Amino acid sequence: MNRVIIPLDVSSEHEAFDLVDRLGERADFYKVGLELFTSCGPEVVRRLQRMGKRVFLDLKLHDIPNTVAGAVSAASDLGVDLLTVHASGGPTMLEAAARARRGNLRLLAVTALTSLSPDEMSAVWGREIRSVREEVGRLTLSAQHAGIDGVVASALEAPWLRGHVGADFLLVTPGIRPAGASPDDQNRVATPAEAIRAGSDYLVIGRPITQARDPEAALGAVLAEISSAEAEA
Ligand code: C5P
């Protein structure tokens, strides 16, 4: 199984498919987020699928249950493989999302945005938040209870989560940096091998690959590191 998901964090179809072409066969799973989807629409997803690629549609849905269920149903029709919803949308929204998914679509919950500090979370939720990790754990278990298939989680949270959610629940991890790579704007990073050892199923890896002088070679090095981590396990 290829565990690397490449985010297409660009605003035009031209830039997106330049990168897809440069990465070639070895990249077969792409993340389409709010920027690209808002700019170019579902045609980007269809074009990736025509090339045999899997698609993670990262739209972080958060709305009333009926509206979210409609969007999940539309994503099922589009044939994407992964779609994000906000765990803080509540159990009724999450259950409606889980009921609406069909086919190969698996739903991932976003628990607490990594951009939120404990102070900001306290201000939003109206109570003191001492441990973000505790909130991530609580929201993950509520998402699993509602029938969601996995969460987006950092490699630091993955071991605890894996111990509580069982083997089948998906852990998808961004913030990956091969040893020695620039952290860019990521605060807490892990290497590909560390993330695999932590229990992550899929790794979302952007700039270390997409901004590399030779993206295909950078991806090759990451895949080799993952294979050795898997062999050790
Ligand atoms: O370039 P980089 O590897 O940092 O890209 C990581 C990708 O994962 C980006 O698309 C970013 O939006 C996404 N992501 C993240 N941290 C989260 C959730 C998503 O970096 N907590």
Side-chain angles (χ1 to χ4, degrees):
M1 175 175 84
N2 188 343
R3 297 167 179 274
V4 176
I5 301 177
I6 310 280
L8 292 172
D9 290 327
V10 294
S11 60
S12 74
E13 207 168 324
H14 166 75
E15 287 170 282
F17 284 93
D18 253 10
L19 180 64
V20 173
D21 288 340
R22 286 187 75 189
L23 285 173
E25 297 284 303
R26 281 199 283 188
D28 72 349
F29 210 155
Y30 284 94
K31 179 164 90 70
V32 174
L34 288 168
E35 184 182 5
L36 187 60
F37 197 73
T38 303
S39 307
C40 304
E43 183 48 31
V44 170
V45 173
R46 293 193 191 100
R47 188 165 160 192
L48 284 166
Q49 291 167 333
R50 284 197 296 274
M51 297 173 82
K53 311 298 184 190
R54 290 175 288 167
V55 177
F56 169 6
L57 193 55
D58 188 15
L59 299 184
K60 298 187 174 65
L61 304 177
H62 190 165
D63 209 316
I64 59 170
N66 186 56
T67 302
V68 168
V72 170
S73 174
S76 301
D77 290 339
L78 192 54
V80 300
D81 298 87
L82 294 172
L83 173 69
T84 40
V85 296
H86 268 285
S88 54
T92 312
M93 187 201 88
L94 295 172
E95 283 162 17
R99 271 198 307 275
R101 73 164 160 355
R102 285 173 277 109
N104 292 331
L105 177 62
R106 285 188 291 176
L107 296 173
L108 297 177
V110 172
T111 55
L113 293 172
T114 42
S115 52
L116 284 178
S117 66
D119 280 354
E120 265 184 305
M121 281 176 72
S122 304
V124 173
W125 291 352
R127 65 182 168 82
E128 195 186 350
I129 304 290
R130 287 210 201 89
S131 154
V132 173
R133 193 175 291 190
E134 221 172 275
E135 297 302 313
V136 167
R138 184 178 63 75
L139 287 165
T140 297
L141 296 178
S142 85
Q144 186 179 36
H145 189 71
I148 298 299
D149 306 292
V151 284
V152 179
S154 85
L156 302 180
E157 291 145 5
W160 185 91
L161 290 175
R162 182 55 78 210
H164 285 78
V165 295
D168 293 338
F169 196 69
L170 289 177
L171 300 180
V172 176
T173 300
I176 303 294
R177 291 295 178 271
S182 155
D184 302 305
D185 54 358
Q186 297 282 9
N187 288 320
R188 300 181 304 163
V189 298
T191 65
E194 283 165 350
I196 295 298
R197 286 197 289 267
S200 301
D201 296 293
Y202 289 100
L203 315 185
V204 179
I205 314 182
R207 284 161 292 179
I209 292 171
T210 60
Q211 307 290 309
R213 204 169 307 148
D214 183 344
E216 199 181 358
L219 172 61
V222 165
L223 292 174
E225 184 177 334
I226 291 174
S227 298
S228 4
E230 285 173 338
E232 280 167 25

